[in-house]
Amino acid sequence: MLVRHLIRSAAVSSALASTLLVAGGAGAAEAPGWEVSLSGESSAGSLLSVSSVDDDLAWAVGSKAGAGVIMRWDGERWAEDTAPGLPAVWQWSAVSAVSADDVWAYGSVGRGQALVHFDGERWNSVTAAGPADDSWPEVPIDAVPGRLFKGGNALYTYTGGTWKTFALPARVDIRDIDAISADDAYATGMQYPVKGGHPVTYHWDGTTWTLMDQPPVRAGTDTAKIAATSPDSVYVAGWAEDPDVTEPVPGVAHWDGSAWEDITGALATFYVRALAPDGRGGLWVTGNDQAEPAHADPVFWHYDGTTWTKEAGAPAPDGDTRWPSYTFNDLAPAGGSGGFWAVGEYSTPMDAHGDQTVNGLIERSTASPEAAGS
């Protein structure tokens, strides 16, 4: 998962919401509120997770051509991380950065798993608890000072060099984790199969995980994402697929400390693959848009506590103008300036042979100077 801890210490300026307006036609390198930070031919073919330490330091992970890749932001550009110690994997699926010398990444290799820690100079392999998850190899991790959390087919915590395992019921899989502190974390996933199953959420109190009430979303909703800002504000999101329709049916719920509320509202025809609180009591979500009429803009939705508003991101200069060509897989605060990173992939137009290229995509929301100083 995405690490959102910066949201809790630096409120996002309202200028971000006011400047995120619908973009113009495809081909531009930016839209009001969003700019492309990485596109075109690069080391990344697809990016699944992003985590930021501050405005000048962030990591994004994914893969290209069957090999895992870790990208690093140095305040000016994204480039492949060349620090020593990384094992060869087919995909890095999660990254969580606590500080410049405390960064974790999780990946898959064959039917095995890889967990690495960056100490500021090199990456070091750490033995991961539990077997590799054959159902969902994109196992979530989230790190806070003093503790690492890992999901999948069980819930795991790591501190002081020791793993603790919390067994889950059969066919439960944890898809995302968000920790507020070492003693306060939240996880979400699904009791499979989807048909006849239901979402699950768990709370960590520093000692054990406890099953929470079931979120009031449509039956069959796979709650793949969770975001927590406090014990009184936790969001889960995902989507259901109806065999009788072609569009996904998104679902978003909010926990206020005592009960869940379905806040899906006008959010529609959207694969919700990422979410992040906006720091002002609202929420951003993104993923893959399936709305008609078909268009090719990258899409974000914002919830202000009452109403959902659909916004366009910045199209990649070489992106396909046909739909659907954009998918975002993760959102995370970009530092104290009040901006966000969004990572994913997009497709280029078909060539003369009918082939398309899929490139990694990173966008950053632009904030006004007043936001940076707030």
mmCIF file of all heavy atoms in Angstrom, residues 93-136:
data_model
loop_
_atom_site.group_PDB
_atom_site.id
_atom_site.type_symbol
_atom_site.label_atom_id
_atom_site.label_comp_id
_atom_site.label_asym_id
_atom_site.label_seq_id
_atom_site.Cartn_x
_atom_site.Cartn_y
_atom_site.Cartn_z
ATOM 1 N N SER A 93 5.749 -4.745 -5.729
ATOM 2 C CA SER A 93 4.345 -4.349 -5.696
ATOM 3 C C SER A 93 3.992 -3.391 -4.574
ATOM 4 O O SER A 93 2.895 -2.818 -4.584
ATOM 5 C CB SER A 93 3.450 -5.586 -5.590
ATOM 6 O OG SER A 93 3.783 -6.351 -4.445
ATOM 7 N N ALA A 94 4.883 -3.185 -3.612
ATOM 8 C CA ALA A 94 4.563 -2.278 -2.512
ATOM 9 C C ALA A 94 5.830 -1.634 -1.991
ATOM 10 O O ALA A 94 6.884 -2.273 -1.921
ATOM 11 C CB ALA A 94 3.854 -3.029 -1.383
ATOM 12 N N VAL A 95 5.726 -0.355 -1.625
ATOM 13 C CA VAL A 95 6.846 0.362 -1.024
ATOM 14 C C VAL A 95 6.296 1.230 0.097
ATOM 15 O O VAL A 95 5.193 1.775 0.008
ATOM 16 C CB VAL A 95 7.612 1.215 -2.055
ATOM 17 C CG1 VAL A 95 6.735 2.308 -2.642
ATOM 18 C CG2 VAL A 95 8.881 1.802 -1.455
ATOM 19 N N SER A 96 7.062 1.353 1.176
ATOM 20 C CA SER A 96 6.653 2.155 2.323
ATOM 21 C C SER A 96 7.889 2.805 2.924
ATOM 22 O O SER A 96 8.792 2.110 3.396
ATOM 23 C CB SER A 96 5.946 1.278 3.364
ATOM 24 O OG SER A 96 5.461 2.055 4.431
ATOM 25 N N ALA A 97 7.936 4.132 2.876
ATOM 26 C CA ALA A 97 9.093 4.883 3.349
ATOM 27 C C ALA A 97 8.756 5.617 4.643
ATOM 28 O O ALA A 97 7.821 6.421 4.683
ATOM 29 C CB ALA A 97 9.544 5.883 2.290
ATOM 30 N N VAL A 98 9.511 5.331 5.691
ATOM 31 C CA VAL A 98 9.355 6.019 6.966
ATOM 32 C C VAL A 98 10.262 7.236 7.016
ATOM 33 O O VAL A 98 9.873 8.305 7.476
ATOM 34 C CB VAL A 98 9.666 5.067 8.138
ATOM 35 C CG1 VAL A 98 9.539 5.796 9.476
ATOM 36 C CG2 VAL A 98 8.748 3.850 8.105
ATOM 37 N N SER A 99 11.498 7.071 6.512
ATOM 38 C CA SER A 99 12.486 8.146 6.491
ATOM 39 C C SER A 99 13.488 7.843 5.397
ATOM 40 O O SER A 99 13.399 6.804 4.718
ATOM 41 C CB SER A 99 13.188 8.259 7.844
ATOM 42 O OG SER A 99 13.943 7.086 8.114
ATOM 43 N N ALA A 100 14.476 8.717 5.235
ATOM 44 C CA ALA A 100 15.469 8.530 4.175
ATOM 45 C C ALA A 100 16.279 7.260 4.363
ATOM 46 O O ALA A 100 16.824 6.721 3.390
ATOM 47 C CB ALA A 100 16.395 9.741 4.114
ATOM 48 N N ASP A 101 16.381 6.765 5.589
ATOM 49 C CA ASP A 101 17.152 5.544 5.843
ATOM 50 C C ASP A 101 16.295 4.436 6.446
ATOM 51 O O ASP A 101 16.787 3.567 7.158
ATOM 52 C CB ASP A 101 18.360 5.840 6.739
ATOM 53 C CG ASP A 101 17.961 6.465 8.067
ATOM 54 O OD1 ASP A 101 16.754 6.638 8.322
ATOM 55 O OD2 ASP A 101 18.876 6.785 8.860
ATOM 56 N N ASP A 102 15.006 4.467 6.151
ATOM 57 C CA ASP A 102 14.095 3.437 6.641
ATOM 58 C C ASP A 102 12.980 3.254 5.615
ATOM 59 O O ASP A 102 11.909 3.845 5.725
ATOM 60 C CB ASP A 102 13.528 3.833 8.001
ATOM 61 C CG ASP A 102 12.705 2.727 8.662
ATOM 62 O OD1 ASP A 102 12.651 1.604 8.113
ATOM 63 O OD2 ASP A 102 12.114 2.991 9.731
ATOM 64 N N VAL A 103 13.258 2.438 4.596
ATOM 65 C CA VAL A 103 12.336 2.226 3.480
ATOM 66 C C VAL A 103 12.190 0.721 3.249
ATOM 67 O O VAL A 103 13.190 -0.005 3.239
ATOM 68 C CB VAL A 103 12.842 2.898 2.186
ATOM 69 C CG1 VAL A 103 11.799 2.775 1.078
ATOM 70 C CG2 VAL A 103 13.209 4.352 2.426
ATOM 71 N N TRP A 104 10.955 0.288 3.045
ATOM 72 C CA TRP A 104 10.663 -1.127 2.810
ATOM 73 C C TRP A 104 10.027 -1.314 1.435
ATOM 74 O O TRP A 104 9.266 -0.458 0.978
ATOM 75 C CB TRP A 104 9.705 -1.657 3.871
ATOM 76 C CG TRP A 104 10.272 -1.693 5.253
ATOM 77 C CD1 TRP A 104 10.272 -0.685 6.167
ATOM 78 C CD2 TRP A 104 10.926 -2.806 5.881
ATOM 79 N NE1 TRP A 104 10.889 -1.091 7.324
ATOM 80 C CE2 TRP A 104 11.292 -2.385 7.185
ATOM 81 C CE3 TRP A 104 11.234 -4.105 5.472
ATOM 82 C CZ2 TRP A 104 11.949 -3.229 8.071
ATOM 83 C CZ3 TRP A 104 11.880 -4.945 6.364
ATOM 84 C CH2 TRP A 104 12.240 -4.511 7.634
ATOM 85 N N ALA A 105 10.323 -2.448 0.796
ATOM 86 C CA ALA A 105 9.685 -2.800 -0.471
ATOM 87 C C ALA A 105 9.415 -4.297 -0.495
ATOM 88 O O ALA A 105 10.217 -5.097 0.021
ATOM 89 C CB ALA A 105 10.550 -2.403 -1.663
ATOM 90 N N TYR A 106 8.292 -4.658 -1.111
ATOM 91 C CA TYR A 106 7.882 -6.064 -1.207
ATOM 92 C C TYR A 106 7.689 -6.435 -2.668
ATOM 93 O O TYR A 106 7.122 -5.655 -3.443
ATOM 94 C CB TYR A 106 6.576 -6.300 -0.444
ATOM 95 C CG TYR A 106 6.113 -7.741 -0.482
ATOM 96 C CD1 TYR A 106 6.494 -8.635 0.509
ATOM 97 C CD2 TYR A 106 5.312 -8.212 -1.522
ATOM 98 C CE1 TYR A 106 6.088 -9.963 0.479
ATOM 99 C CE2 TYR A 106 4.897 -9.529 -1.564
ATOM 100 C CZ TYR A 106 5.288 -10.399 -0.569
ATOM 101 O OH TYR A 106 4.894 -11.709 -0.618
ATOM 102 N N GLY A 107 8.145 -7.632 -3.023
ATOM 103 C CA GLY A 107 7.999 -8.087 -4.397
ATOM 104 C C GLY A 107 7.816 -9.578 -4.507
ATOM 105 O O GLY A 107 7.799 -10.305 -3.503
ATOM 106 N N SER A 108 7.662 -10.031 -5.744
ATOM 107 C CA SER A 108 7.427 -11.439 -6.034
ATOM 108 C C SER A 108 8.465 -11.936 -7.023
ATOM 109 O O SER A 108 8.864 -11.216 -7.948
ATOM 110 C CB SER A 108 6.031 -11.640 -6.637
ATOM 111 O OG SER A 108 5.033 -11.118 -5.794
ATOM 112 N N VAL A 109 8.877 -13.172 -6.836
ATOM 113 C CA VAL A 109 9.792 -13.823 -7.760
ATOM 114 C C VAL A 109 9.377 -15.277 -7.879
ATOM 115 O O VAL A 109 9.408 -16.031 -6.917
ATOM 116 C CB VAL A 109 11.262 -13.691 -7.305
ATOM 117 C CG1 VAL A 109 11.453 -14.140 -5.864
ATOM 118 C CG2 VAL A 109 12.188 -14.435 -8.242
ATOM 119 N N GLY A 110 8.932 -15.664 -9.087
ATOM 120 C CA GLY A 110 8.401 -17.008 -9.258
ATOM 121 C C GLY A 110 7.203 -17.200 -8.342
ATOM 122 O O GLY A 110 6.282 -16.387 -8.315
ATOM 123 N N ARG A 111 7.238 -18.244 -7.522
ATOM 124 C CA ARG A 111 6.197 -18.467 -6.519
ATOM 125 C C ARG A 111 6.697 -18.098 -5.129
ATOM 126 O O ARG A 111 6.131 -18.518 -4.122
ATOM 127 C CB ARG A 111 5.729 -19.917 -6.562
ATOM 128 C CG ARG A 111 5.112 -20.326 -7.895
ATOM 129 C CD ARG A 111 4.448 -21.674 -7.810
ATOM 130 N NE ARG A 111 3.275 -21.652 -6.961
ATOM 131 C CZ ARG A 111 2.509 -22.710 -6.721
ATOM 132 N NH1 ARG A 111 2.802 -23.880 -7.282
ATOM 133 N NH2 ARG A 111 1.453 -22.620 -5.930
ATOM 134 N N GLY A 112 7.750 -17.288 -5.091
ATOM 135 C CA GLY A 112 8.298 -16.844 -3.826
ATOM 136 C C GLY A 112 8.077 -15.361 -3.607
ATOM 137 O O GLY A 112 7.439 -14.671 -4.407
ATOM 138 N N GLN A 113 8.589 -14.847 -2.509
ATOM 139 C CA GLN A 113 8.418 -13.449 -2.156
ATOM 140 C C GLN A 113 9.763 -12.844 -1.766
ATOM 141 O O GLN A 113 10.691 -13.555 -1.373
ATOM 142 C CB GLN A 113 7.418 -13.305 -1.006
ATOM 143 C CG GLN A 113 7.782 -14.093 0.247
ATOM 144 C CD GLN A 113 6.711 -14.010 1.321
ATOM 145 O OE1 GLN A 113 5.979 -13.029 1.418
ATOM 146 N NE2 GLN A 113 6.598 -15.050 2.141
ATOM 147 N N ALA A 114 9.855 -11.537 -1.916
ATOM 148 C CA ALA A 114 11.068 -10.818 -1.564
ATOM 149 C C ALA A 114 10.689 -9.598 -0.731
ATOM 150 O O ALA A 114 9.767 -8.870 -1.074
ATOM 151 C CB ALA A 114 11.822 -10.390 -2.817
ATOM 152 N N LEU A 115 11.398 -9.387 0.359
ATOM 153 C CA LEU A 115 11.204 -8.223 1.218
ATOM 154 C C LEU A 115 12.573 -7.586 1.440
ATOM 155 O O LEU A 115 13.523 -8.281 1.810
ATOM 156 C CB LEU A 115 10.586 -8.637 2.553
ATOM 157 C CG LEU A 115 10.347 -7.518 3.578
ATOM 158 C CD1 LEU A 115 9.283 -6.551 3.074
ATOM 159 C CD2 LEU A 115 9.938 -8.104 4.923
ATOM 160 N N VAL A 116 12.672 -6.294 1.179
ATOM 161 C CA VAL A 116 13.952 -5.606 1.320
ATOM 162 C C VAL A 116 13.778 -4.337 2.147
ATOM 163 O O VAL A 116 12.691 -3.742 2.194
ATOM 164 C CB VAL A 116 14.576 -5.255 -0.043
ATOM 165 C CG1 VAL A 116 14.977 -6.518 -0.795
ATOM 166 C CG2 VAL A 116 13.631 -4.404 -0.882
ATOM 167 N N HIS A 117 14.878 -3.934 2.786
ATOM 168 C CA HIS A 117 14.905 -2.721 3.594
ATOM 169 C C HIS A 117 16.082 -1.858 3.169
ATOM 170 O O HIS A 117 17.208 -2.351 3.010
ATOM 171 C CB HIS A 117 15.031 -3.062 5.080
ATOM 172 C CG HIS A 117 15.099 -1.854 5.962
ATOM 173 N ND1 HIS A 117 16.289 -1.375 6.486
ATOM 174 C CD2 HIS A 117 14.114 -1.010 6.382
ATOM 175 C CE1 HIS A 117 16.039 -0.300 7.213
ATOM 176 N NE2 HIS A 117 14.731 -0.057 7.175
ATOM 177 N N PHE A 118 15.845 -0.564 2.956
ATOM 178 C CA PHE A 118 16.890 0.389 2.582
ATOM 179 C C PHE A 118 17.318 1.159 3.823
ATOM 180 O O PHE A 118 16.484 1.756 4.522
ATOM 181 C CB PHE A 118 16.357 1.356 1.521
ATOM 182 C CG PHE A 118 17.359 2.359 1.045
ATOM 183 C CD1 PHE A 118 18.483 1.958 0.327
ATOM 184 C CD2 PHE A 118 17.187 3.711 1.315
ATOM 185 C CE1 PHE A 118 19.412 2.888 -0.119
ATOM 186 C CE2 PHE A 118 18.103 4.647 0.863
ATOM 187 C CZ PHE A 118 19.220 4.225 0.148
ATOM 188 N N ASP A 119 18.617 1.143 4.103
ATOM 189 C CA ASP A 119 19.143 1.771 5.315
ATOM 190 C C ASP A 119 19.804 3.119 5.051
ATOM 191 O O ASP A 119 20.504 3.655 5.915
ATOM 192 C CB ASP A 119 20.134 0.840 6.011
ATOM 193 C CG ASP A 119 21.352 0.505 5.145
ATOM 194 O OD1 ASP A 119 21.541 1.131 4.081
ATOM 195 O OD2 ASP A 119 22.116 -0.399 5.537
ATOM 196 N N GLY A 120 19.582 3.654 3.880
ATOM 197 C CA GLY A 120 20.177 4.925 3.513
ATOM 198 C C GLY A 120 21.358 4.781 2.581
ATOM 199 O O GLY A 120 21.754 5.746 1.913
ATOM 200 N N GLU A 121 21.928 3.568 2.517
ATOM 201 C CA GLU A 121 23.074 3.306 1.649
ATOM 202 C C GLU A 121 22.844 2.131 0.723
ATOM 203 O O GLU A 121 23.260 2.157 -0.436
ATOM 204 C CB GLU A 121 24.333 3.063 2.489
ATOM 205 C CG GLU A 121 24.766 4.277 3.306
ATOM 206 C CD GLU A 121 26.049 4.027 4.057
ATOM 207 O OE1 GLU A 121 26.605 2.905 3.963
ATOM 208 O OE2 GLU A 121 26.517 4.955 4.751
ATOM 209 N N ARG A 122 22.185 1.092 1.209
ATOM 210 C CA ARG A 122 21.966 -0.094 0.392
ATOM 211 C C ARG A 122 20.653 -0.769 0.798
ATOM 212 O O ARG A 122 20.092 -0.501 1.859
ATOM 213 C CB ARG A 122 23.131 -1.079 0.534
ATOM 214 C CG ARG A 122 23.326 -1.638 1.932
ATOM 215 C CD ARG A 122 24.419 -2.724 1.955
ATOM 216 N NE ARG A 122 23.973 -3.926 1.252
ATOM 217 C CZ ARG A 122 24.557 -4.400 0.146
ATOM 218 N NH1 ARG A 122 25.602 -3.778 -0.377
ATOM 219 N NH2 ARG A 122 24.104 -5.501 -0.430
ATOM 220 N N TRP A 123 20.181 -1.637 -0.084
ATOM 221 C CA TRP A 123 19.019 -2.467 0.187
ATOM 222 C C TRP A 123 19.490 -3.791 0.782
ATOM 223 O O TRP A 123 20.453 -4.394 0.293
ATOM 224 C CB TRP A 123 18.245 -2.743 -1.096
ATOM 225 C CG TRP A 123 17.609 -1.522 -1.690
ATOM 226 C CD1 TRP A 123 18.137 -0.704 -2.635
ATOM 227 C CD2 TRP A 123 16.319 -0.987 -1.372
ATOM 228 N NE1 TRP A 123 17.267 0.318 -2.937
ATOM 229 C CE2 TRP A 123 16.138 0.175 -2.181
ATOM 230 C CE3 TRP A 123 15.301 -1.353 -0.497
ATOM 231 C CZ2 TRP A 123 14.977 0.940 -2.135
ATOM 232 C CZ3 TRP A 123 14.141 -0.582 -0.446
ATOM 233 C CH2 TRP A 123 13.984 0.544 -1.253
ATOM 234 N N ASN A 124 18.810 -4.233 1.828
ATOM 235 C CA ASN A 124 19.145 -5.483 2.495
ATOM 236 C C ASN A 124 17.933 -6.399 2.506
ATOM 237 O O ASN A 124 16.819 -5.961 2.841
ATOM 238 C CB ASN A 124 19.592 -5.225 3.929
ATOM 239 C CG ASN A 124 20.792 -4.314 4.001
ATOM 240 O OD1 ASN A 124 21.913 -4.733 3.750
ATOM 241 N ND2 ASN A 124 20.569 -3.042 4.344
ATOM 242 N N SER A 125 18.125 -7.660 2.133
ATOM 243 C CA SER A 125 17.022 -8.617 2.126
ATOM 244 C C SER A 125 16.657 -9.031 3.545
ATOM 245 O O SER A 125 17.529 -9.245 4.394
ATOM 246 C CB SER A 125 17.391 -9.854 1.304
ATOM 247 O OG SER A 125 17.524 -9.524 -0.064
ATOM 248 N N VAL A 126 15.348 -9.130 3.790
ATOM 249 C CA VAL A 126 14.819 -9.558 5.080
ATOM 250 C C VAL A 126 13.885 -10.734 4.821
ATOM 251 O O VAL A 126 13.055 -10.684 3.906
ATOM 252 C CB VAL A 126 14.042 -8.414 5.777
ATOM 253 C CG1 VAL A 126 13.434 -8.896 7.086
ATOM 254 C CG2 VAL A 126 14.949 -7.212 6.002
ATOM 255 N N THR A 127 14.013 -11.784 5.601
ATOM 256 C CA THR A 127 13.134 -12.937 5.431
ATOM 257 C C THR A 127 11.715 -12.561 5.814
ATOM 258 O O THR A 127 11.457 -12.069 6.923
ATOM 259 C CB THR A 127 13.598 -14.114 6.303
ATOM 260 O OG1 THR A 127 14.927 -14.479 5.930
ATOM 261 C CG2 THR A 127 12.686 -15.313 6.124
ATOM 262 N N ALA A 128 10.784 -12.759 4.889
ATOM 263 C CA ALA A 128 9.387 -12.418 5.134
ATOM 264 C C ALA A 128 8.671 -13.574 5.805
ATOM 265 O O ALA A 128 8.894 -14.741 5.466
ATOM 266 C CB ALA A 128 8.694 -12.066 3.824
ATOM 267 N N ALA A 129 7.800 -13.232 6.751
ATOM 268 C CA ALA A 129 7.028 -14.266 7.428
ATOM 269 C C ALA A 129 5.966 -14.833 6.506
ATOM 270 O O ALA A 129 5.439 -14.152 5.631
ATOM 271 C CB ALA A 129 6.372 -13.688 8.678
ATOM 272 N N GLY A 130 5.622 -16.105 6.734
ATOM 273 C CA GLY A 130 4.531 -16.729 6.013
ATOM 274 C C GLY A 130 4.899 -17.156 4.610
ATOM 275 O O GLY A 130 5.902 -16.703 4.051
ATOM 276 N N PRO A 131 4.060 -18.003 4.009
ATOM 277 C CA PRO A 131 4.287 -18.417 2.628
ATOM 278 C C PRO A 131 3.915 -17.316 1.653
ATOM 279 O O PRO A 131 3.177 -16.390 1.995
ATOM 280 C CB PRO A 131 3.360 -19.627 2.477
ATOM 281 C CG PRO A 131 2.213 -19.314 3.409
ATOM 282 C CD PRO A 131 2.833 -18.608 4.580
ATOM 283 N N ALA A 132 4.420 -17.423 0.440
ATOM 284 C CA ALA A 132 3.998 -16.500 -0.615
ATOM 285 C C ALA A 132 2.503 -16.675 -0.853
ATOM 286 O O ALA A 132 1.963 -17.774 -0.751
ATOM 287 C CB ALA A 132 4.774 -16.767 -1.891
ATOM 288 N N ASP A 133 1.829 -15.581 -1.158
ATOM 289 C CA ASP A 133 0.389 -15.608 -1.375
ATOM 290 C C ASP A 133 0.108 -15.886 -2.844
ATOM 291 O O ASP A 133 0.296 -15.017 -3.690
ATOM 292 C CB ASP A 133 -0.218 -14.274 -0.953
ATOM 293 C CG ASP A 133 -1.742 -14.317 -0.868
ATOM 294 O OD1 ASP A 133 -2.350 -15.110 -1.615
ATOM 295 O OD2 ASP A 133 -2.316 -13.570 -0.065
ATOM 296 N N ASP A 134 -0.338 -17.093 -3.141
ATOM 297 C CA ASP A 134 -0.600 -17.459 -4.532
ATOM 298 C C ASP A 134 -1.830 -16.767 -5.093
ATOM 299 O O ASP A 134 -1.957 -16.583 -6.299
ATOM 300 C CB ASP A 134 -0.778 -18.981 -4.657
ATOM 301 C CG ASP A 134 0.509 -19.738 -4.415
ATOM 302 O OD1 ASP A 134 1.585 -19.148 -4.641
ATOM 303 O OD2 ASP A 134 0.454 -20.906 -3.982
ATOM 304 N N SER A 135 -2.767 -16.366 -4.209
ATOM 305 C CA SER A 135 -3.993 -15.738 -4.683
ATOM 306 C C SER A 135 -3.752 -14.294 -5.104
ATOM 307 O O SER A 135 -4.240 -13.849 -6.140
ATOM 308 C CB SER A 135 -5.063 -15.778 -3.580
ATOM 309 O OG SER A 135 -5.369 -17.101 -3.216
ATOM 310 N N TRP A 136 -2.993 -13.534 -4.273
ATOM 311 C CA TRP A 136 -2.732 -12.118 -4.554
ATOM 312 C C TRP A 136 -1.259 -11.846 -4.301
ATOM 313 O O TRP A 136 -0.873 -11.499 -3.184
ATOM 314 C CB TRP A 136 -3.599 -11.211 -3.673
ATOM 315 C CG TRP A 136 -5.058 -11.360 -3.902
ATOM 316 C CD1 TRP A 136 -5.949 -11.989 -3.107
ATOM 317 C CD2 TRP A 136 -5.791 -10.881 -5.026
ATOM 318 N NE1 TRP A 136 -7.200 -11.927 -3.655
ATOM 319 C CE2 TRP A 136 -7.134 -11.257 -4.832
ATOM 320 C CE3 TRP A 136 -5.449 -10.159 -6.174
ATOM 321 C CZ2 TRP A 136 -8.145 -10.943 -5.737
ATOM 322 C CZ3 TRP A 136 -6.447 -9.844 -7.071
ATOM 323 C CH2 TRP A 136 -7.775 -10.230 -6.861
#
